[in-house]
Amino acid sequence: MPDTMVTQNKTRESSLVVDDRENGLFRVNRKAFLDEEILHMEREKIFNRCWLFLGHASELPNPNDFVTRNVGGKELIFNRDRKGEFHAFLNTCPHRGAMVERQESGNSIAFKCFYHGWAFNNNGNYATRHQKGTYPENFNHDGCANLIPVKLEQYRDFFFVNYDDGANSLDSYLADAKIIFDLIDQHGPDGMEVVGGAQKYSIRSNWKLLMENSYDGYHALDTHETYFKYLTEAIGGPAEMPKVTNVMNLKNGHASIEGDAPWGRPVAKWIPAWGENAKSEVEEIKREVVSRVGAERANRICQLGRNTGIFPNLVINDIMAITIRTFYPVEPGVMNVTAWALGVKGEKRDFRKRRLDNFLEFLGPGGFATPDDVEALESAYRGYAAYKLAPWNDISRGMSRGQGEPFKADDEEQMRCFWREWDRRMGGE
Ligand code: FES
Ligand code: FE
């Protein structure tokens, strides 16, 4: 298990992030959310260099399956070839640039550009037959007419791309965050699958605010008051505040909060609202998980949940359901969000239904949480219009803890992990 975070006795100040460890103060200048030039630097120094989540293996169950999506500002094809090998290609035609595949998903042994008809096998090789004499005999001898592959690596069933040829391996990048993927993958004996495609929406706010929000234990009771009232009725008693037992610095800007909460977990945490009949089924699942991974890990999988941020923009929230989401800036004050629900492969119908109900109830774009969070993020962004008069965000909560004293549920250490890495990559040190 990764170490609980320890605040080192170190103080540093760049112009946008003040990390004053002696006085227990951490501040971020609101210019970091507003400035076009900063967004340009983020594209160069973060999105063009970090490992970015591309997709989950379950989205391509069969040979020749493909999906297309924009990752870090670049259009990509994520696919499997005839032999079942996974690939990622830039979705731009080597001829004159048009998008080669324009469907969001499908199954195809080849891709054909709609502009002038160039064709490619699904391993990326140029496969166009031109009339003799149209191009030189040795045309494409250097592969210049093939689809351009993108550096692709996977951890368990999660695929990531990286646009930096010199990047270190995904394994070293994920560092201690690998445990989060392990815990997700072990929910069921056959792993996990994306359920029902993706949900896409936009928020009029800066992308970094959604990262902060996604593992912010401090806001839950205030922002989501309505949900907790509803939960009180649903579980037939007062819904207590989620209890965070472990705040984890997973290195390289990744962080997670882990804890117990009043809601049921379809993997195997029963609540009375599900009825007595479901109880024995839940116990049976729990026994299977214990036999597979041991009691301690089974407790983390079944009983506890986690809100995790993988730097720079992958959120994995394994709480009353599992959502993974990424979000990219369109401009400093607008982001596009894509969210997926994960479920246990082969899980029983009732459990899948509870999982999807839980997902929609809290995490979905029309649920109890997401609209609240969107409003909080958009209102914060509106407030930043006055940044010259009110220039700083405070992220100091609990900063003086950490010298042997564990961080708490409503501390902000996980956000400081993000911002220290952001600052380091943007050239603050
Ligand atoms: Fe694709 Fe011309 S741009 S064939
Ligand atoms: Fe929230």
Side-chain angles (χ1 to χ4, degrees), residues 289-350:
V289 181
V290 171
S291 72
R292 191 160 36 83
V293 301
E296 194 219 352
R297 181 159 291 194
N299 184 57
R300 292 183 81 187
I301 290 172
C302 299
Q303 187 72 22
L304 305 181
R306 281 153 295 280
N307 291 53
T308 303
I310 305 293
F311 191 91
N313 68 335
L314 171 64
V315 166
I316 303 177
N317 283 350
D318 173 9
I319 40 181
M320 73 293 289
I322 303 176
T323 188
I324 47 180
R325 60 168 83 121
T326 59
F327 31 92
Y328 287 98
V330 179
E331 51 189 78
V334 180
M335 74 180 106
N336 286 339
V337 184
T338 309
W340 298 265
L342 278 185
V344 173
K345 263 187 201 162
E347 77 186 330
K348 285 186 180 163
R349 201 181 154 88
D350 288 358

Short mmCIF file of all heavy atoms in Angstrom, two decimals, residues 289-350:
data_model
loop_
_atom_site.label_atom_id
_atom_site.label_comp_id
_atom_site.label_asym_id
_atom_site.label_seq_id
_atom_site.Cartn_x
_atom_site.Cartn_y
_atom_site.Cartn_z
N VAL A 289 -14.89 -12.74 -3.49
CA VAL A 289 -13.79 -11.77 -3.58
C VAL A 289 -12.71 -12.11 -2.54
O VAL A 289 -11.51 -12.10 -2.85
CB VAL A 289 -14.30 -10.31 -3.38
CG1 VAL A 289 -13.15 -9.32 -3.49
CG2 VAL A 289 -15.38 -9.97 -4.40
N VAL A 290 -13.12 -12.46 -1.31
CA VAL A 290 -12.15 -12.81 -0.27
C VAL A 290 -11.33 -14.01 -0.72
O VAL A 290 -10.10 -14.03 -0.58
CB VAL A 290 -12.86 -13.11 1.08
CG1 VAL A 290 -11.87 -13.69 2.10
CG2 VAL A 290 -13.52 -11.86 1.63
N SER A 291 -11.98 -15.02 -1.29
CA SER A 291 -11.25 -16.23 -1.68
C SER A 291 -10.25 -15.92 -2.80
O SER A 291 -9.22 -16.55 -2.93
CB SER A 291 -12.21 -17.33 -2.11
OG SER A 291 -12.77 -16.99 -3.36
N ARG A 292 -10.54 -14.91 -3.58
CA ARG A 292 -9.67 -14.58 -4.72
C ARG A 292 -8.51 -13.66 -4.34
O ARG A 292 -7.40 -13.82 -4.82
CB ARG A 292 -10.54 -13.94 -5.82
CG ARG A 292 -9.89 -13.76 -7.14
CD ARG A 292 -10.92 -13.60 -8.28
NE ARG A 292 -12.11 -12.88 -7.92
CZ ARG A 292 -12.22 -11.54 -7.91
NH1 ARG A 292 -11.19 -10.80 -8.24
NH2 ARG A 292 -13.36 -10.97 -7.56
N VAL A 293 -8.77 -12.70 -3.46
CA VAL A 293 -7.72 -11.67 -3.21
C VAL A 293 -7.31 -11.54 -1.74
O VAL A 293 -6.44 -10.75 -1.41
CB VAL A 293 -8.19 -10.28 -3.72
CG1 VAL A 293 -8.48 -10.31 -5.20
CG2 VAL A 293 -9.39 -9.76 -2.94
N GLY A 294 -7.94 -12.31 -0.84
CA GLY A 294 -7.61 -12.21 0.58
C GLY A 294 -8.48 -11.18 1.28
O GLY A 294 -9.07 -10.30 0.64
N ALA A 295 -8.53 -11.28 2.63
CA ALA A 295 -9.50 -10.49 3.40
C ALA A 295 -9.23 -9.00 3.36
O ALA A 295 -10.15 -8.19 3.22
CB ALA A 295 -9.52 -10.98 4.84
N GLU A 296 -7.95 -8.61 3.47
CA GLU A 296 -7.66 -7.17 3.57
C GLU A 296 -8.02 -6.45 2.26
O GLU A 296 -8.71 -5.44 2.25
CB GLU A 296 -6.18 -6.96 3.90
CG GLU A 296 -5.89 -5.54 4.34
CD GLU A 296 -4.57 -5.01 3.81
OE1 GLU A 296 -3.79 -5.79 3.22
OE2 GLU A 296 -4.33 -3.81 3.95
N ARG A 297 -7.56 -7.03 1.14
CA ARG A 297 -7.86 -6.39 -0.14
C ARG A 297 -9.36 -6.46 -0.43
O ARG A 297 -9.95 -5.53 -0.99
CB ARG A 297 -7.06 -7.01 -1.27
CG ARG A 297 -7.36 -6.33 -2.58
CD ARG A 297 -6.32 -6.50 -3.62
NE ARG A 297 -5.09 -5.78 -3.31
CZ ARG A 297 -4.13 -5.55 -4.19
NH1 ARG A 297 -4.24 -5.97 -5.42
NH2 ARG A 297 -3.04 -4.90 -3.84
N ALA A 298 -10.00 -7.56 -0.04
CA ALA A 298 -11.44 -7.69 -0.27
C ALA A 298 -12.20 -6.60 0.47
O ALA A 298 -13.20 -6.07 -0.04
CB ALA A 298 -11.92 -9.07 0.17
N ASN A 299 -11.73 -6.24 1.67
CA ASN A 299 -12.39 -5.16 2.41
C ASN A 299 -12.26 -3.85 1.65
O ASN A 299 -13.21 -3.06 1.56
CB ASN A 299 -11.78 -5.04 3.80
CG ASN A 299 -12.52 -4.00 4.63
OD1 ASN A 299 -13.73 -4.10 4.82
ND2 ASN A 299 -11.81 -2.98 5.09
N ARG A 300 -11.08 -3.60 1.08
CA ARG A 300 -10.89 -2.36 0.31
C ARG A 300 -11.79 -2.36 -0.93
O ARG A 300 -12.31 -1.32 -1.33
CB ARG A 300 -9.43 -2.19 -0.12
CG ARG A 300 -8.49 -1.93 1.04
CD ARG A 300 -7.08 -1.70 0.57
NE ARG A 300 -6.86 -0.33 0.11
CZ ARG A 300 -5.74 0.08 -0.47
NH1 ARG A 300 -4.75 -0.77 -0.68
NH2 ARG A 300 -5.61 1.33 -0.85
N ILE A 301 -11.97 -3.53 -1.54
CA ILE A 301 -12.78 -3.60 -2.75
C ILE A 301 -14.28 -3.50 -2.43
O ILE A 301 -15.02 -2.76 -3.08
CB ILE A 301 -12.48 -4.91 -3.51
CG1 ILE A 301 -11.07 -4.86 -4.10
CG2 ILE A 301 -13.52 -5.18 -4.60
CD1 ILE A 301 -10.59 -6.17 -4.71
N CYS A 302 -14.70 -4.24 -1.41
CA CYS A 302 -16.15 -4.35 -1.17
C CYS A 302 -16.68 -3.20 -0.32
O CYS A 302 -17.72 -2.63 -0.63
CB CYS A 302 -16.46 -5.67 -0.48
SG CYS A 302 -16.01 -7.10 -1.46
N GLN A 303 -15.98 -2.88 0.76
CA GLN A 303 -16.52 -1.95 1.75
C GLN A 303 -16.13 -0.50 1.46
O GLN A 303 -16.92 0.41 1.60
CB GLN A 303 -16.00 -2.35 3.14
CG GLN A 303 -16.60 -1.57 4.29
CD GLN A 303 -18.06 -1.93 4.55
OE1 GLN A 303 -18.51 -3.02 4.18
NE2 GLN A 303 -18.80 -1.01 5.15
N LEU A 304 -14.85 -0.30 1.09
CA LEU A 304 -14.34 1.06 0.96
C LEU A 304 -14.45 1.56 -0.48
O LEU A 304 -14.48 0.76 -1.42
CB LEU A 304 -12.86 1.12 1.40
CG LEU A 304 -12.56 0.58 2.81
CD1 LEU A 304 -11.07 0.72 3.12
CD2 LEU A 304 -13.39 1.31 3.86
N GLY A 305 -14.47 2.85 -0.63
CA GLY A 305 -14.47 3.44 -1.97
C GLY A 305 -13.31 4.41 -2.10
O GLY A 305 -12.66 4.75 -1.11
N ARG A 306 -13.07 4.84 -3.33
CA ARG A 306 -11.95 5.75 -3.57
C ARG A 306 -12.31 6.80 -4.63
O ARG A 306 -12.95 6.46 -5.63
CB ARG A 306 -10.72 4.98 -4.09
CG ARG A 306 -9.91 4.25 -3.05
CD ARG A 306 -9.19 3.07 -3.63
NE ARG A 306 -10.15 2.08 -4.09
CZ ARG A 306 -10.78 1.22 -3.28
NH1 ARG A 306 -10.48 1.17 -2.01
NH2 ARG A 306 -11.69 0.37 -3.74
N ASN A 307 -11.88 8.01 -4.39
CA ASN A 307 -11.92 9.07 -5.41
C ASN A 307 -10.47 9.34 -5.79
O ASN A 307 -9.67 9.73 -4.93
CB ASN A 307 -12.53 10.35 -4.87
CG ASN A 307 -14.02 10.21 -4.59
OD1 ASN A 307 -14.43 9.29 -3.89
ND2 ASN A 307 -14.81 11.11 -5.13
N THR A 308 -10.16 9.15 -7.05
CA THR A 308 -8.76 9.20 -7.47
C THR A 308 -8.57 10.15 -8.63
O THR A 308 -9.41 10.19 -9.56
CB THR A 308 -8.31 7.78 -7.92
OG1 THR A 308 -8.51 6.87 -6.85
CG2 THR A 308 -6.84 7.76 -8.33
N GLY A 309 -7.48 10.88 -8.60
CA GLY A 309 -7.09 11.70 -9.74
C GLY A 309 -5.75 11.22 -10.27
O GLY A 309 -4.77 11.16 -9.53
N ILE A 310 -5.74 10.81 -11.55
CA ILE A 310 -4.49 10.44 -12.22
C ILE A 310 -4.08 11.65 -13.04
O ILE A 310 -4.83 12.07 -13.95
CB ILE A 310 -4.69 9.21 -13.15
CG1 ILE A 310 -5.29 8.02 -12.38
CG2 ILE A 310 -3.38 8.83 -13.85
CD1 ILE A 310 -4.41 7.41 -11.35
N PHE A 311 -2.92 12.21 -12.73
CA PHE A 311 -2.47 13.43 -13.40
C PHE A 311 -2.34 13.19 -14.91
O PHE A 311 -1.80 12.16 -15.30
CB PHE A 311 -1.12 13.86 -12.81
CG PHE A 311 -0.69 15.23 -13.24
CD1 PHE A 311 -1.04 16.35 -12.49
CD2 PHE A 311 0.05 15.40 -14.40
CE1 PHE A 311 -0.65 17.62 -12.90
CE2 PHE A 311 0.43 16.67 -14.81
CZ PHE A 311 0.08 17.78 -14.06
N PRO A 312 -2.77 14.08 -15.78
CA PRO A 312 -3.35 15.36 -15.44
C PRO A 312 -4.89 15.36 -15.37
O PRO A 312 -5.45 16.24 -14.74
CB PRO A 312 -2.91 16.24 -16.62
CG PRO A 312 -2.84 15.31 -17.79
CD PRO A 312 -2.43 13.97 -17.24
N ASN A 313 -5.57 14.40 -16.00
CA ASN A 313 -7.02 14.60 -16.16
C ASN A 313 -7.81 13.31 -16.27
O ASN A 313 -8.79 13.25 -17.01
CB ASN A 313 -7.29 15.46 -17.41
CG ASN A 313 -6.93 14.72 -18.67
OD1 ASN A 313 -6.10 13.83 -18.66
ND2 ASN A 313 -7.55 15.08 -19.77
N LEU A 314 -7.36 12.27 -15.58
CA LEU A 314 -8.20 11.06 -15.52
C LEU A 314 -8.72 10.93 -14.09
O LEU A 314 -7.92 10.87 -13.15
CB LEU A 314 -7.39 9.82 -15.90
CG LEU A 314 -8.10 8.48 -15.66
CD1 LEU A 314 -9.35 8.35 -16.53
CD2 LEU A 314 -7.15 7.31 -15.92
N VAL A 315 -10.03 10.90 -13.96
CA VAL A 315 -10.65 10.70 -12.65
C VAL A 315 -11.22 9.30 -12.62
O VAL A 315 -11.87 8.86 -13.57
CB VAL A 315 -11.77 11.75 -12.43
CG1 VAL A 315 -12.65 11.37 -11.26
CG2 VAL A 315 -11.16 13.12 -12.22
N ILE A 316 -10.95 8.59 -11.53
CA ILE A 316 -11.56 7.27 -11.34
C ILE A 316 -12.27 7.31 -10.00
O ILE A 316 -11.62 7.31 -8.95
CB ILE A 316 -10.49 6.16 -11.32
CG1 ILE A 316 -9.66 6.20 -12.60
CG2 ILE A 316 -11.14 4.80 -11.13
CD1 ILE A 316 -8.53 5.19 -12.63
N ASN A 317 -13.57 7.43 -10.04
CA ASN A 317 -14.34 7.47 -8.80
C ASN A 317 -15.04 6.13 -8.61
O ASN A 317 -15.96 5.78 -9.35
CB ASN A 317 -15.33 8.64 -8.79
CG ASN A 317 -14.62 9.96 -8.52
OD1 ASN A 317 -13.44 9.97 -8.15
ND2 ASN A 317 -15.32 11.05 -8.68
N ASP A 318 -14.54 5.38 -7.63
CA ASP A 318 -15.07 4.06 -7.31
C ASP A 318 -15.83 4.24 -6.00
O ASP A 318 -15.27 4.04 -4.92
CB ASP A 318 -13.87 3.10 -7.19
CG ASP A 318 -14.26 1.73 -6.69
OD1 ASP A 318 -15.47 1.45 -6.60
OD2 ASP A 318 -13.35 0.94 -6.38
N ILE A 319 -17.08 4.69 -6.10
CA ILE A 319 -17.85 5.01 -4.89
C ILE A 319 -19.16 4.22 -4.89
O ILE A 319 -19.08 3.01 -4.75
CB ILE A 319 -18.01 6.55 -4.72
CG1 ILE A 319 -18.28 7.26 -6.05
CG2 ILE A 319 -16.75 7.13 -4.11
CD1 ILE A 319 -18.43 8.78 -5.97
N MET A 320 -20.32 4.84 -5.05
CA MET A 320 -21.56 4.05 -5.08
C MET A 320 -21.73 3.36 -6.45
O MET A 320 -22.57 2.47 -6.61
CB MET A 320 -22.79 4.90 -4.73
CG MET A 320 -23.24 5.86 -5.78
SD MET A 320 -22.06 7.18 -6.03
CE MET A 320 -22.25 8.11 -4.52
N ALA A 321 -20.94 3.79 -7.40
CA ALA A 321 -20.79 3.13 -8.71
C ALA A 321 -19.39 3.54 -9.15
O ALA A 321 -18.69 4.23 -8.42
CB ALA A 321 -21.86 3.63 -9.68
N ILE A 322 -19.00 3.11 -10.34
CA ILE A 322 -17.66 3.52 -10.79
C ILE A 322 -17.81 4.39 -12.02
O ILE A 322 -18.46 4.02 -13.00
CB ILE A 322 -16.80 2.30 -11.17
CG1 ILE A 322 -16.69 1.34 -9.98
CG2 ILE A 322 -15.41 2.75 -11.61
CD1 ILE A 322 -15.93 0.08 -10.33
N THR A 323 -17.21 5.57 -11.94
CA THR A 323 -17.12 6.38 -13.15
C THR A 323 -15.66 6.66 -13.44
O THR A 323 -14.85 6.83 -12.54
CB THR A 323 -17.89 7.70 -13.00
OG1 THR A 323 -17.94 8.36 -14.28
CG2 THR A 323 -17.26 8.65 -12.03
N ILE A 324 -15.32 6.65 -14.73
CA ILE A 324 -14.03 7.19 -15.15
C ILE A 324 -14.35 8.37 -16.05
O ILE A 324 -15.32 8.33 -16.82
CB ILE A 324 -13.13 6.15 -15.85
CG1 ILE A 324 -13.89 5.38 -16.91
CG2 ILE A 324 -12.53 5.20 -14.85
CD1 ILE A 324 -13.04 4.35 -17.62
N ARG A 325 -13.60 9.43 -15.91
CA ARG A 325 -13.89 10.60 -16.75
C ARG A 325 -12.60 11.32 -17.12
O ARG A 325 -11.64 11.32 -16.35
CB ARG A 325 -14.86 11.55 -16.07
CG ARG A 325 -14.42 12.14 -14.76
CD ARG A 325 -15.35 13.31 -14.32
NE ARG A 325 -16.55 12.88 -13.66
CZ ARG A 325 -16.89 13.23 -12.40
NH1 ARG A 325 -16.10 14.01 -11.68
NH2 ARG A 325 -18.00 12.81 -11.87
N THR A 326 -12.61 11.87 -18.31
CA THR A 326 -11.52 12.76 -18.73
C THR A 326 -12.15 14.07 -19.19
O THR A 326 -13.35 14.10 -19.52
CB THR A 326 -10.69 12.18 -19.90
OG1 THR A 326 -11.56 11.96 -21.00
CG2 THR A 326 -10.03 10.87 -19.52
N PHE A 327 -11.35 15.10 -19.23
CA PHE A 327 -11.89 16.41 -19.61
C PHE A 327 -10.75 17.23 -20.19
O PHE A 327 -9.63 17.20 -19.69
CB PHE A 327 -12.51 17.12 -18.41
CG PHE A 327 -11.86 16.78 -17.10
CD1 PHE A 327 -10.82 17.56 -16.60
CD2 PHE A 327 -12.26 15.67 -16.39
CE1 PHE A 327 -10.20 17.22 -15.41
CE2 PHE A 327 -11.63 15.33 -15.20
CZ PHE A 327 -10.60 16.11 -14.71
N TYR A 328 -11.07 17.93 -21.26
CA TYR A 328 -10.04 18.72 -21.96
C TYR A 328 -10.51 20.14 -22.15
O TYR A 328 -11.70 20.38 -22.41
CB TYR A 328 -9.72 18.09 -23.31
CG TYR A 328 -8.94 16.82 -23.16
CD1 TYR A 328 -9.57 15.59 -23.20
CD2 TYR A 328 -7.56 16.86 -22.92
CE1 TYR A 328 -8.84 14.42 -23.01
CE2 TYR A 328 -6.84 15.70 -22.73
CZ TYR A 328 -7.48 14.48 -22.78
OH TYR A 328 -6.77 13.34 -22.58
N PRO A 329 -9.59 21.08 -22.05
CA PRO A 329 -9.97 22.47 -22.26
C PRO A 329 -10.21 22.76 -23.74
O PRO A 329 -9.45 22.32 -24.60
CB PRO A 329 -8.73 23.24 -21.77
CG PRO A 329 -7.59 22.27 -21.91
CD PRO A 329 -8.16 20.90 -21.72
N VAL A 330 -11.31 23.46 -23.99
CA VAL A 330 -11.56 24.00 -25.33
C VAL A 330 -10.96 25.41 -25.37
O VAL A 330 -10.36 25.83 -26.34
CB VAL A 330 -13.08 24.07 -25.61
CG1 VAL A 330 -13.35 24.65 -26.98
CG2 VAL A 330 -13.71 22.70 -25.44
N GLU A 331 -11.16 26.11 -24.28
CA GLU A 331 -10.55 27.42 -24.04
C GLU A 331 -10.38 27.51 -22.53
O GLU A 331 -10.84 26.61 -21.81
CB GLU A 331 -11.42 28.55 -24.62
CG GLU A 331 -12.85 28.48 -24.21
CD GLU A 331 -13.72 29.48 -24.98
OE1 GLU A 331 -14.06 29.22 -26.14
OE2 GLU A 331 -14.05 30.51 -24.37
N PRO A 332 -9.74 28.55 -21.98
CA PRO A 332 -9.51 28.55 -20.53
C PRO A 332 -10.79 28.34 -19.73
O PRO A 332 -10.78 27.66 -18.70
CB PRO A 332 -8.89 29.92 -20.26
CG PRO A 332 -8.21 30.28 -21.54
CD PRO A 332 -9.06 29.71 -22.63
N GLY A 333 -11.91 28.88 -20.20
CA GLY A 333 -13.15 28.80 -19.42
C GLY A 333 -14.17 27.80 -19.93
O GLY A 333 -15.34 27.89 -19.56
N VAL A 334 -13.76 26.85 -20.76
CA VAL A 334 -14.69 25.82 -21.26
C VAL A 334 -13.96 24.48 -21.33
O VAL A 334 -12.85 24.41 -21.86
CB VAL A 334 -15.23 26.16 -22.67
CG1 VAL A 334 -16.18 25.07 -23.16
CG2 VAL A 334 -15.94 27.51 -22.68
N MET A 335 -14.60 23.45 -20.81
CA MET A 335 -14.02 22.11 -20.95
C MET A 335 -15.08 21.15 -21.49
O MET A 335 -16.27 21.33 -21.24
CB MET A 335 -13.50 21.60 -19.60
CG MET A 335 -14.57 21.17 -18.63
SD MET A 335 -13.91 20.59 -17.06
CE MET A 335 -14.30 22.00 -16.00
N ASN A 336 -14.60 20.13 -22.21
CA ASN A 336 -15.46 19.03 -22.64
C ASN A 336 -15.16 17.81 -21.79
O ASN A 336 -14.00 17.42 -21.65
CB ASN A 336 -15.19 18.68 -24.12
CG ASN A 336 -15.77 19.72 -25.05
OD1 ASN A 336 -16.66 20.47 -24.69
ND2 ASN A 336 -15.25 19.76 -26.28
N VAL A 337 -16.21 17.22 -21.25
CA VAL A 337 -16.05 16.08 -20.35
C VAL A 337 -16.57 14.82 -21.05
O VAL A 337 -17.61 14.86 -21.72
CB VAL A 337 -16.89 16.29 -19.06
CG1 VAL A 337 -16.65 15.16 -18.07
CG2 VAL A 337 -16.60 17.65 -18.44
N THR A 338 -15.85 13.72 -20.90
CA THR A 338 -16.36 12.42 -21.34
C THR A 338 -16.32 11.50 -20.13
O THR A 338 -15.30 11.42 -19.45
CB THR A 338 -15.49 11.81 -22.46
OG1 THR A 338 -15.33 12.78 -23.49
CG2 THR A 338 -16.13 10.57 -23.03
N ALA A 339 -17.43 10.84 -19.86
CA ALA A 339 -17.50 9.96 -18.68
C ALA A 339 -18.03 8.59 -19.09
O ALA A 339 -18.89 8.48 -19.96
CB ALA A 339 -18.41 10.59 -17.63
N TRP A 340 -17.46 7.57 -18.46
CA TRP A 340 -17.90 6.20 -18.71
C TRP A 340 -18.27 5.56 -17.37
O TRP A 340 -17.67 5.88 -16.34
CB TRP A 340 -16.77 5.37 -19.31
CG TRP A 340 -16.25 5.80 -20.64
CD1 TRP A 340 -16.65 5.33 -21.86
CD2 TRP A 340 -15.20 6.77 -20.91
NE1 TRP A 340 -15.92 5.94 -22.86
CE2 TRP A 340 -15.03 6.82 -22.32
CE3 TRP A 340 -14.39 7.58 -20.12
CZ2 TRP A 340 -14.10 7.65 -22.94
CZ3 TRP A 340 -13.46 8.41 -20.73
CH2 TRP A 340 -13.33 8.44 -22.12
N ALA A 341 -19.23 4.61 -17.42
CA ALA A 341 -19.53 3.80 -16.23
C ALA A 341 -18.87 2.44 -16.42
O ALA A 341 -18.92 1.86 -17.51
CB ALA A 341 -21.04 3.63 -16.10
N LEU A 342 -18.24 1.95 -15.35
CA LEU A 342 -17.65 0.61 -15.40
C LEU A 342 -18.49 -0.35 -14.57
O LEU A 342 -18.97 0.02 -13.50
CB LEU A 342 -16.23 0.63 -14.83
CG LEU A 342 -15.08 1.08 -15.70
CD1 LEU A 342 -13.77 0.90 -14.94
CD2 LEU A 342 -15.01 0.29 -17.00
N GLY A 343 -18.64 -1.57 -15.06
CA GLY A 343 -19.35 -2.60 -14.30
C GLY A 343 -18.57 -3.90 -14.33
O GLY A 343 -17.70 -4.11 -15.18
N VAL A 344 -18.90 -4.79 -13.39
CA VAL A 344 -18.24 -6.09 -13.31
C VAL A 344 -18.70 -6.94 -14.50
O VAL A 344 -19.91 -7.06 -14.74
CB VAL A 344 -18.60 -6.79 -11.98
CG1 VAL A 344 -18.08 -8.22 -11.95
CG2 VAL A 344 -18.06 -5.98 -10.80
N LYS A 345 -17.75 -7.53 -15.20
CA LYS A 345 -18.10 -8.40 -16.34
C LYS A 345 -18.92 -9.58 -15.83
O LYS A 345 -18.50 -10.24 -14.87
CB LYS A 345 -16.83 -8.94 -16.99
CG LYS A 345 -16.39 -8.17 -18.19
CD LYS A 345 -15.22 -8.87 -18.88
CE LYS A 345 -14.48 -7.87 -19.74
NZ LYS A 345 -13.14 -8.29 -20.10
N GLY A 346 -20.03 -9.83 -16.45
CA GLY A 346 -20.84 -11.00 -16.11
C GLY A 346 -21.67 -10.85 -14.84
O GLY A 346 -22.19 -11.84 -14.33
N GLU A 347 -21.79 -9.64 -14.29
CA GLU A 347 -22.55 -9.51 -13.03
C GLU A 347 -24.05 -9.72 -13.28
O GLU A 347 -24.55 -9.49 -14.38
CB GLU A 347 -22.27 -8.18 -12.33
CG GLU A 347 -22.95 -6.97 -12.89
CD GLU A 347 -22.47 -5.68 -12.21
OE1 GLU A 347 -22.09 -5.72 -11.02
OE2 GLU A 347 -22.48 -4.63 -12.87
N LYS A 348 -24.72 -10.16 -12.19
CA LYS A 348 -26.15 -10.48 -12.32
C LYS A 348 -26.95 -9.23 -12.64
O LYS A 348 -26.58 -8.12 -12.26
CB LYS A 348 -26.65 -11.07 -11.01
CG LYS A 348 -26.21 -12.49 -10.78
CD LYS A 348 -26.90 -13.00 -9.54
CE LYS A 348 -26.50 -14.44 -9.28
NZ LYS A 348 -26.82 -14.83 -7.90
N ARG A 349 -28.10 -9.47 -13.26
CA ARG A 349 -28.95 -8.37 -13.74
C ARG A 349 -29.31 -7.38 -12.63
O ARG A 349 -29.21 -6.17 -12.81
CB ARG A 349 -30.22 -9.03 -14.30
CG ARG A 349 -31.01 -8.22 -15.24
CD ARG A 349 -32.23 -9.06 -15.64
NE ARG A 349 -33.31 -8.17 -16.04
CZ ARG A 349 -33.46 -7.71 -17.25
NH1 ARG A 349 -32.62 -8.07 -18.20
NH2 ARG A 349 -34.45 -6.90 -17.53
N ASP A 350 -29.70 -7.91 -11.44
CA ASP A 350 -30.10 -7.02 -10.34
C ASP A 350 -28.96 -6.11 -9.91
O ASP A 350 -29.15 -4.94 -9.58
CB ASP A 350 -30.52 -7.82 -9.10
CG ASP A 350 -31.85 -8.50 -9.32
OD1 ASP A 350 -32.43 -8.29 -10.40
OD2 ASP A 350 -32.29 -9.22 -8.41
#
